[in-house]
Amino acid sequence: MVATVASKRGLTPYEEVNLFFDQAAERLKLPDGMREMLRRPWRELRVQVPVRMDDGNVKVFTGYRVQHNAARGPYKGGVRYHPLADLEEVRALASLMTWKTALMDLPYGGSKGGVQVDPALLSNSELNRLTRRYTNAIQHLIAPNRDIPAPDLGTNAQTMAWMMDAYGAIHGYTPAIVTGKPVELGGSLGRDAATGRGVSCILEQAAKDFGLDLSKTRVVVQGFGNVGSWTARLLHEMGCRIVAVSDVQGGVRNARGLDIPTLFEHHRRAGGFEGFPGTEAVTNEELLELECDVLIPAAIDNVITGRNAPRIKTRLLLEAANHPTTPEADAIFNDRGIPVLPDILCNAGGVTVSYFEWTQNLQEFKWEEERVNTELRKMMTRAYQSVYQRATAEGITYRQAAFEIGVQRVARAVELRGFV
Ligand code: GLU
């Protein structure tokens, strides 16, 4: 297994995700035409995003919106601002959204957007102008019943407010056009924490099946943005010992456990971990190889590869980022008997609460936060159990089980619609 996958190195992220898809399609015995149709995006748009910079010069960025599949409902997926957000990456992420929304049984398809830009290098007003131009460039492809963007890496509630405003300037007030908005503009209570909360629900369930005592569980989290920081805070609240965390510049560790609320405040004020007392600095590479019970990559894709997978010392891998593990590394974990709970399950809390936000906007009715969290927990638990049971019954990995459930649902919807 390792050798065959290893020989296919050099694949793009989209081709890598499709290796997981192909395994599912094969086991489900999908006919060739159906496979082809489910593998490839239904529609792709590449746009130019010219921005007047604060110094008066114009810079031209490239943006994408990839609509992978809408058999089960409108396309749904975030918008990423990142220097590596090229077409192949956005395609990979769009396809993951299709399998994720299907696994969660949300009435959505899958899409993703991206602008190839480092948002840290732009001022707030430059980001505002870039977001408006990008929204204008894709506005004819999105709508509350067509395609609904949301935040992803490098974007946040403010970005969604700008998108909603730019879309509204053309189409009139339309809060359901994006999710992950500020609460003051129709965002849902609990959306900000939702992905991290979803990860915590998965760990709570997994602890029972994998024999982990949460109060003794040592957790390492890579990434301290929205997903990583909420994951660390909620797991710390649950009694886990968070032994190391990092952001893009590097991280800190303390084998006895980090005081996450104080560390979070320090990080917010200082813009990094430096100077936090009682900790030792670690690089991102070192962090992934620290001994722990649960390793949670919560930053970018492709961080766990054939190179470092043999050295990773965890009992369980929970993928909070999208596509953090290459197929080669996935096979190594399988051979080493380390269970991997896949991205389309672990990080689905975000899109699940996006769904709650969209329904609240369509009904013009607000839910209390407790209702959001209770419903989220129910849906995460149900999805976890369906994956766990299928994997156990069929003797396949959790990733294979998750993909099979998702792919089977999308294939069924295509069949029922009868459009081929
Ligand atoms: N960007 C998040 C994801 O990858 C959330 C998407 C959404 O809420 O639509 O799942």
Side-chain angles (χ1 to χ4, degrees):
M1 179 72 182
V2 176
T4 46
V5 174
S7 63
K8 290 186 183 163
R9 283 184 73 178
L11 298 181
T12 68
Y14 172 59
E15 288 165 340
E16 286 188 341
V17 170
N18 278 340
L19 283 182
F20 299 139
F21 165 79
D22 287 338
Q23 284 178 6
E26 185 64 31
R27 279 183 45 94
L28 294 167
K29 300 191 173 54
L30 295 185
D32 286 349
M34 175 70 88
R35 280 187 210 197
E36 189 64 13
M37 178 182 178
L38 298 187
R39 190 187 292 118
R40 279 166 38 181
W42 286 6
R43 184 152 56 182
E44 302 180 342
L45 179 66
R46 175 169 51 207
V47 296
Q48 196 188 84
V49 187
V51 179
R52 169 105 31 216
M53 306 302 280
D54 293 343
D55 65 7
N57 290 318
V58 172
K59 263 203 186 150
V60 184
F61 299 93
T62 304
Y64 304 95
R65 187 73 184 168
V66 173
Q67 298 181 327
H68 181 260
N69 188 293
R72 303 185 72 261
Y75 300 102
K76 184 84 190 80
V79 175
R80 161 173 298 208
Y81 290 172
H82 193 269
L84 301 178
D86 62 9
L87 185 54
E88 284 291 296
E89 185 187 74
V90 177
R91 273 184 186 143
L93 296 165
S95 69
L96 283 173
M97 288 309 299
T98 300
W99 316 130
K100 191 186 307 187
T101 55
L103 171 64
M104 296 307 293
D105 209 6
L106 303 174
Y108 287 138
S111 57
K112 201 81 171 197
V115 179
Q116 219 165 357
V117 59
D118 183 351
L121 303 180
L122 267 62
S123 72
N124 222 29
S125 55
E126 287 166 344
L127 281 172
N128 184 346
R129 290 195 289 277
L130 174 125
T131 302
R132 284 170 193 285
R133 279 271 19 132
Y134 173 69
T135 308
N136 284 340
I138 67 163
Q139 58 83 17
H140 57 295
L141 286 195
I142 60 173
N145 62 350
R146 287 191 181 282
D147 186 359
I148 306 123
D152 194 77
L153 209 69
T155 56
N156 53 29
Q158 176 63 77
T159 322
M160 295 304 112
W162 291 328
M163 283 191 86
M164 177 181 114
D165 189 64
Y167 186 86
I170 305 166
H171 300 273
Y173 176 66
T174 318
I177 186 58
V178 285
T179 56
K181 298 177 289 292
V183 172
E184 299 89 326
L185 290 179
S188 178
L189 293 168
R191 175 62 184 86
D192 194 41
T195 311
R197 191 173 299 281
V199 175
S200 75
C201 296
I202 297 294
L203 182 55
E204 212 181 344
Q205 294 303 314
K208 296 180 202 151
D209 291 325
F210 297 95
L212 295 172
D213 171 352
L214 287 181
S215 68
K216 298 201 182 86
T217 299
R218 295 161 304 161
V219 181
V220 168
V221 182
Q222 185 195 41
F224 214 64
N226 171 281
V227 180
S229 68
W230 272 111
T231 299
R233 277 183 283 168
L234 292 166
L235 294 186
H236 181 265
E237 263 175 35
M238 264 163 57
C240 296
R241 192 157 27 120
I242 317 293
V243 293
V245 295
S246 67
D247 64 12
V248 46
Q249 274 135 29
V252 280
R253 63 182 285 201
N254 181 337
R256 289 189 307 279
L258 298 161
D259 173 1
I260 295 294
T262 317
L263 182 61
F264 178 76
E265 272 314 306
H266 174 93
H267 189 268
R268 204 175 52 83
R269 261 185 288 110
F273 297 114
E274 220 166 281
F276 191 71
T279 59
E280 217 180 292
V282 277
T283 66
N284 266 300
E285 292 72 40
E286 289 163 352
L287 175 122
L288 292 171
E289 295 175 21
L290 292 175
E291 195 177 323
C292 60
D293 301 304
V294 182
L295 175 62
I296 308 184
I300 49 166
D301 43 333
N302 259 298
V303 291
I304 302 176
T305 64
R307 208 179 40 78
N308 59 1
R311 293 195 298 270
I312 284 177
K313 299 182 262 311
T314 185
R315 285 175 64 190
L316 184 64
L317 183 73
L318 245 71
E319 296 183 337
N322 283 314
H323 194 49
T325 312
T326 64
E328 192 187 0
D330 196 55
I332 293 170
F333 285 122
N334 196 15
D335 289 346
R336 292 182 59 201
I338 298 173
V340 178
L341 294 177
D343 46 8
I344 59 172
L345 172 67
C346 293
N347 72 26
V351 71
T352 301
V353 176
S354 275
Y355 164 60
F356 300 157
E357 179 171 328
W358 180 71
T359 60
Q360 291 173 70
N361 294 151
L362 295 177
Q363 296 179 355
E364 299 185 35
F365 182 78
K366 265 186 168 311
W367 294 10
E368 286 181 10
E369 187 165 356
E370 204 190 315
R371 178 171 176 196
V372 171
N373 293 345
T374 308
E375 294 288 331
L376 170 64
R377 199 187 150 94
K378 256 196 253 171
M379 294 185 65
M380 295 304 298
T381 306
R382 201 184 306 145
Y384 170 84
Q385 280 165 355
S386 67
V387 170
Y388 186 81
Q389 280 157 12
R390 189 168 185 132
T392 315
E394 311 259 323
I396 53 178
T397 67
Y398 302 103
R399 191 188 310 278
Q400 284 167 334
F403 268 75
E404 277 183 32
I405 297 169
V407 171
Q408 195 165 31
R409 287 189 178 145
V410 180
R412 179 76 184 133
V414 166
E415 241 170 55
L416 284 169
R417 280 178 182 253
F419 55 56
V420 279

